[in-house]
Amino acid sequence: MQEAVLENKYVPKPAKIKEYHRESPDNFSITLDIKFKHDPGQFVQISIPGIGESPISICSYSGENLRLNIREVGNVTKALGKMKKGDPVFIRGPYGRGYPMQLLKGNDVVIIGGGCGVAPLRGIIEYIEHHRQDYGKVYLFLGFRSPDDILFKREMDHWKIKYNLNLSVDQLPPGTCFDGKVEFITKLVEATQLTNQNKVVFLCGPPKMMDIASGILMKKGFHEDQIFVSAERLMYCAEGICCHCMIHEKFCCKDGPVFRYDELKGYKND
Amino acid sequence: MATYTVRKLDLRSLLQKIMQSSELIAPVKTDLVRFQVVEDPHDICLTEQSFYPVKEFIFRKHEVLVSFNGKKVITPVLEPKERVIFGLRRCDLNAIMHQDKALIEVDVNYRAQRQNLTLIGYHCNEAPSQYCFCGTLELKDFYDMMFFDRGDEFIVDVATENGSRIIGKYPEFFRKSNHKVTEADKKIKNADRLFKTDISKLYDHPDWQKGVDKCLSCAACTSLCPTCYCFEIKDEVSIHDTKKVDRVREWSSCQLKGFSRVAGNHVFRDNRKERFKHRIYHQLDYFKKRYGINMCVGCGRCITACPTRIDFVDIINGMK
């Protein structure tokens, strides 16, 4: 038996909300007063004592104030949504394997995101902004349910100028206006003339959208090892032991959440 | 390290002595046979397999990981007490080793439970249950001391310092022996039921349906499995002071539908087939890919406990 002291990995660090910004009716971004080094695509466990913990992907750049984009769907996220500037939260992390940005230098980057799946992808965009010379062209395909649900509206104008931005909404409810396409984002991917040459694809969104998008990319000649997906699973421990996030033998919290497409090949949902 | 003999007549006196200096946990016959803290060594039952495994004494059902008092974070102080577990079968001991592989380097609470713990085995000569199948699973020697039942006496193999300490403390019960414990001693009769231990290529086999059809998703199998260690973490607020919160870890089960539910109510393993297969594959395939050893130890408790008696060993054996 080893007698070395093991630290309690469940002890979170206290943090305060520095900035709160509502992105859409059910989505908001918070910036916290803590900073640490991390990779794009990694996540943290954010918690409110008495309510619980929730795994949230990081959408800021490493070393800057931690920023999280959160959709209000569960107990913790709904409680966070009601918080304001200065309120305390608890954080542990960063966890997981992020996007291998170092290895992918020199490539054009295709980013395909759906709904709140855009949050971890924002981390990549931030990364590219800081290392612009290392990457070629950047294509953004971002799809949302409706114009009200569009996230990162503040950043969107900036992205439109700097990158090849394709924005779409699934539906246009009566009384709303939108100057982009009203279509599934996967349709926009299908309609482009993208070839697989010197490209890497980062994909994140609802499971169905990821399936369809990867199918389209394959048809366009992309190889499985050019596509990186970010998977979503229920996670408690984030240390690879609670088993909730298992995708066959892979632990989403340890081996992922970012996987190269061929690593999950044939696994589907079970 | 060394081999001794202990007279069967002396066993109770030895355990009584051990109980004076540390907590003794052993299989006790109540309504069923279960591991519990021994009050009287006469209650100890070695003739049947325990229905409940020893798991709950090491990997606790409910344990505080961290507490909060307002903004203050309180880390629980863990003070492992001196404990001896007696009567662990070869499968039970291997189950502890397998949980160690996953948890001991990560989980501070688990590690504390493993400290100051002496493991004393009781080796089966014959499979104690008709559902045992440890024979083909390549179980290892993992114990501080192992008692081999030889009629009027036990041959005791001492493997670690922890084991020697017991000998040193109670030398009157142990007589040095020249017997060398061999593979023949470790052979367990009637436990070679599982013919196929590599199921990696059988994932899409239609025969899994035979098990799925009978599965109720009740999670008895995972609760009674000595190796299953999945859990969930939740916050418990004190009813006396809502500022006081315990963040606790509680057993969970991959057989329950909510186990893989994510935000927005999407359930990844939505039907029983996926959940049933996930359990078997975690036991006999996934764990091996990660830690180089099968998680399953072949104790058969999941089959004994199953209300519809799904015998996955038969199902796997029958796959062509």
Side-chain angles (χ1 to χ4, degrees), chain B residues 21-70:
Chain B
S21 62
S22 54
E23 191 174 87
L24 178 70
I25 296 158
V28 166
K29 177 118 185 167
T30 53
D31 49 343
L32 293 154
V33 181
R34 59 179 81 217
F35 277 90
Q36 63 182 46
V37 177
V38 179
E39 282 162 9
D40 180 352
H42 287 89
D43 300 337
I44 295 175
C45 171
L46 294 175
T47 49
E48 338 172 0
Q49 182 188 37
S50 69
F51 186 77
Y52 290 93
V54 76
K55 174 166 77 168
E56 63 187 287
F57 288 93
I58 302 168
F59 182 65
R60 297 283 183 181
K61 271 181 197 160
H62 182 278
E63 200 165 22
V64 177
L65 300 172
V66 54
S67 302
F68 299 89
N69 190 350

Side-chain angles (χ1 to χ4, degrees), chain B residues 252-265:
Chain B
S252 181
S253 171
C254 59
Q255 297 306 295
L256 304 173
K257 194 165 178 171
F259 189 78
S260 58
R261 176 177 288 135
V262 291
N265 250 349

Side-chain angles (χ1 to χ4, degrees), chain A residues 2 4 6 8 10 47-48 50 52 73 90 232-234 236 241-244 246 248 251 255 269-270, chain B residues 65 73 102 105-107 111 203 229-233 235 245 247 259 261-263 268-269 274 286 290:
Chain A
Q2 303 89 333
L6 183 71
N8 187 331
Y10 305 105
S47 62
I48 308 172
V73 273
F90 289 89
E232 185 198 11
R233 286 292 186 281
L234 179 61
Y236 283 105
I241 52 175
C242 81
C243 297
H244 285 263
M246 283 178 87
H248 285 222
F251 280 81
D255 306 324
N269 284 345
D270 43 314
Chain B
L65 300 172
V73 185
E105 294 300 330
V106 186
D107 193 289
R111 183 185 278 221
Y203 195 81
Y229 56 85
C230 72
F231 60 87
E232 49 190 71
I233 297 173
D235 283 12
V245 174
R247 186 157 289 163
F259 189 78
R261 176 177 288 135
V262 291
F268 283 94
R269 283 186 290 276
E274 289 155 359
Y286 303 158
R290 204 169 189 85

Side-chain angles (χ1 to χ4, degrees), chain A residues 174-187:
Chain A
T176 51
C177 63
F178 177 59
D179 63 351
K181 295 253 170 49
V182 184
E183 225 165 6
F184 284 128
I185 192 65
T186 46
K187 292 273 180 208

Side-chain angles (χ1 to χ4, degrees), chain B residues 58-319:
Chain B
I58 302 168
F59 182 65
R60 297 283 183 181
K61 271 181 197 160
H62 182 278
E63 200 165 22
V64 177
L65 300 172
V66 54
S67 302
F68 299 89
N69 190 350
K71 290 179 193 172
K72 223 171 99 189
V73 185
I74 305 152
T75 315
V77 182
L78 304 163
E79 284 164 339
K81 53 182 170 185
E82 200 69 46
R83 295 189 298 171
V84 175
I85 307 182
F86 174 76
L88 295 156
R89 311 277 173 152
R90 198 171 166 79
C91 53
D92 297 328
L93 289 155
N94 273 265
I96 296 172
M97 180 179 76
H98 295 175
Q99 288 204 331
D100 281 0
K101 283 201 185 291
L103 300 169
I104 209 159
E105 294 300 330
V106 186
D107 193 289
V108 66
N109 290 59
Y110 179 85
R111 183 185 278 221
Q113 296 289 349
R114 282 289 281 114
Q115 267 158 8
N116 302 339
L117 189 64
T118 306
L119 304 174
I120 306 181
Y122 171 74
H123 206 282
C124 307
N125 291 326
E126 195 174 355
S129 143
Q130 58 172 312
Y131 300 113
C132 289
F133 57 95
C134 65
T136 50
L137 285 168
E138 296 169 6
L139 300 191
K140 305 273 188 297
D141 291 337
F142 182 78
Y143 48 78
D144 294 313
M145 289 168 103
M146 179 64 100
F147 280 57
F148 293 88
D149 196 329
R150 293 291 174 264
D152 289 341
E153 60 174 19
F154 294 104
I155 293 169
V156 180
D157 186 35
V158 180
T160 63
E161 283 298 325
N162 259 355
S164 306
R165 216 168 300 143
I166 300 248
I167 308 274
K169 243 170 147 178
Y170 316 106
E172 64 272 30
F173 298 102
F174 297 92
R175 219 166 311 143
K176 197 114 178 95
S177 160
N178 291 324
H179 182 87
K180 258 209 140 64
V181 175
T182 60
E183 284 310 308
D185 286 311
K186 294 176 197 161
K187 176 79 190 143
I188 298 171
K189 266 186 254 165
N190 301 332
D192 300 329
R193 273 196 330 125
L194 180 68
F195 306 136
K196 279 196 197 101
T197 48
D198 179 12
I199 57 168
S200 57
K201 303 247 160 24
L202 299 170
Y203 195 81
D204 292 318
H205 201 286
D207 279 8
W208 289 116
Q209 196 60 39
K210 289 183 192 167
V212 177
D213 285 342
K214 294 200 282 179
C215 179
L216 308 173
S217 275
C218 71
C221 45
T222 53
S223 312
L224 293 187
C225 174
T227 58
C228 276
Y229 56 85
C230 72
F231 60 87
E232 49 190 71
I233 297 173
K234 47 179 144 184
D235 283 12
E236 289 180 353
V237 183
S238 161
I239 49 168
H240 305 296
D241 180 357
T242 51
K243 283 203 181 81
K244 287 189 179 154
V245 174
D246 286 337
R247 186 157 289 163
V248 301
R249 177 179 69 197
E250 233 174 44
W251 285 5
S252 181
S253 171
C254 59
Q255 297 306 295
L256 304 173
K257 194 165 178 171
F259 189 78
S260 58
R261 176 177 288 135
V262 291
N265 250 349
H266 182 79
V267 179
F268 283 94
R269 283 186 290 276
D270 194 27
N271 62 51
R272 273 179 301 171
K273 185 174 183 176
E274 289 155 359
R275 296 199 292 272
F276 179 81
K277 276 192 336 191
H278 182 78
R279 174 172 74 91
I280 309 293
Y281 269 81
H282 195 193
Q283 292 281 353
L284 290 170
D285 189 38
Y286 303 158
F287 194 85
K288 194 173 189 170
K289 283 179 179 151
R290 204 169 189 85
Y291 300 106
I293 194 161
N294 274 325
M295 180 155 119
C296 183
V297 291
C299 70
R301 282 188 181 96
C302 53
I303 308 167
T304 316
C306 181
T308 59
R309 205 64 94 226
I310 302 169
D311 192 342
F312 73 89
V313 176
D314 273 353
I315 295 173
I316 293 172
N317 282 339
M319 285 181 182

